[in-house]
Amino acid sequence: MTENLVFGIRPVVEAIESGKQIEKLYIRKGADGQLMNELRDLCLRHHIRTQEVPVEKLNRLTRGNHQGVVAQISAIGYVELSDILERVPEDETPLVVVFDGVTDVRNFGAIARSAECAGAHGLIVPLKNAAPVNAEAIRSSAGALTAIPVCRVGSIRNTLKMLQQEGFQVVGATEKSRKLLYDADFRKPTALVMGAEDTGISKEVLKLCDEQLAIPMIGKIESLNVSAAAAVLLFEVVRQRIG
């Protein structure tokens, strides 16, 4: 992760002011002073979340003179939702993958890889409660995260409502549904929602889904890993659209 770190108050301020996208910003607990307060104000203006941590964590991240501040720069450039929608070729049906609580970096990377291979037009991730888009995620995606547009949003629910207004069907993957993915029509513009590894899609987001779909299970284990489930769903979309 060291290749994406900026530390020290002034270098972090310069990184923010130059437009660099911050993945995480750690500040030493109890840190104060004029420069530190100015940095906090700058973070508020740019909607950058900060996390107060013990100095030991900062020391583990870098041996440099961090002055109580370490920022992790995003390994990719994020785009707006409108950018994703505008880039969809006229002869293609839009397909986006929405993450609702996927926090494991390797799962995130694997889903991104499947999404890119399936021709998805973009990924939508929440600002909070999400896997970081870092070097490990890019490795897990086999580089797909540098090829597929990623949009980071403050509210997954509001974003799904916007997509519905744009004519998308919102499809939630859940083993609790009686309807199987093979009974759905994926030839429409589709936002495929994948939920958290342990609890699945949140109740609030599930209520917004136009379709709730399950993958049929024959074995004794009741569910697939979220990245495997995403691959199954994505390639059912591919099957229907090229068939």
Side-chain angles (χ1 to χ4, degrees):
M1 188 175 76
T2 54
E3 69 272 19
N4 289 330
L5 290 184
V6 176
F7 52 86
I9 297 175
R10 183 54 57 193
V12 169
V13 167
E14 289 173 357
I16 295 170
E17 289 180 338
S18 69
K20 290 220 174 359
Q21 292 177 313
I22 308 297
E23 190 71 39
K24 291 184 178 178
L25 201 157
Y26 301 105
I27 294 178
R28 178 178 59 81
K29 278 185 179 176
D32 56 12
Q34 183 179 346
L35 285 177
M36 191 64 77
N37 290 335
E38 287 175 7
L39 172 61
R40 287 194 171 98
D41 289 342
L42 187 65
C43 290
L44 279 173
R45 291 201 302 275
H46 287 263
H47 307 289
I48 296 169
R49 293 176 62 238
T50 62
Q51 186 177 343
E52 296 211 353
V53 298
V55 69
E56 290 80 10
K57 179 173 179 69
L58 301 179
N59 293 340
R60 286 196 299 270
L61 289 171
T62 178
R63 294 180 180 179
N65 180 21
H66 52 68
Q67 299 176 296
V69 181
V70 177
Q72 182 184 342
I73 305 298
S74 298
I76 63 167
Y78 294 98
V79 302
E80 298 294 328
L81 178 60
S82 57
D83 295 327
I84 291 176
L85 301 182
E86 287 168 6
R87 291 181 194 178
V88 179
E90 286 186 12
D91 60 343
E92 294 182 17
T93 305
L95 172 64
V96 297
V97 178
V98 182
F99 294 82
D100 181 38
V102 175
T103 56
D104 183 270
V105 171
R106 286 164 295 185
N107 280 335
F108 178 75
I111 295 170
R113 181 177 186 174
S114 295
E116 203 284 328
C117 289
H121 300 100
L123 310 177
I124 297 171
V125 300
L127 278 167
K128 300 178 183 179
N129 195 28
V133 184
N134 55 20
E136 186 180 353
I138 291 173
R139 281 194 298 272
S140 298
S141 76
L145 281 166
T146 62
I148 189 169
V150 182
C151 171
R152 200 157 54 168
V153 299
S155 169
I156 290 295
R157 291 176 64 198
N158 289 344
T159 302
L160 291 177
K161 289 175 184 176
M162 287 172 58
L163 286 169
Q164 286 169 327
Q165 290 171 1
E166 292 288 334
F168 279 72
Q169 64 172 348
V170 175
V171 174
T174 171
E175 69 272 16
K176 297 169 186 173
S177 176
R178 291 185 178 180
K179 184 170 182 176
L180 301 182
L181 75 158
Y182 307 121
D183 298 323
D185 182 0
F186 287 117
R187 291 167 296 182
K188 309 171 185 175
T190 299
L192 179 61
V193 184
M194 304 305 301
E197 289 87 352
D198 50 353
T199 56
I201 299 171
S202 63
K203 290 180 181 178
E204 295 80 9
V205 170
L206 207 53
K207 287 177 185 175
L208 285 176
C209 292
D210 302 300
E211 296 273 18
Q212 297 181 25
L213 303 177
I215 299 168
M217 298 289 162
I218 297 173
K220 294 179 181 177
I221 297 175
E222 294 181 355
S223 65
L224 289 170
N225 170 279
V226 66
S227 62
V232 171
L233 285 150
L234 283 162
F235 282 91
E236 173 59 16
V237 177
V238 172
R239 186 192 70 79
Q240 289 191 21
R241 292 186 177 186
I242 68 173

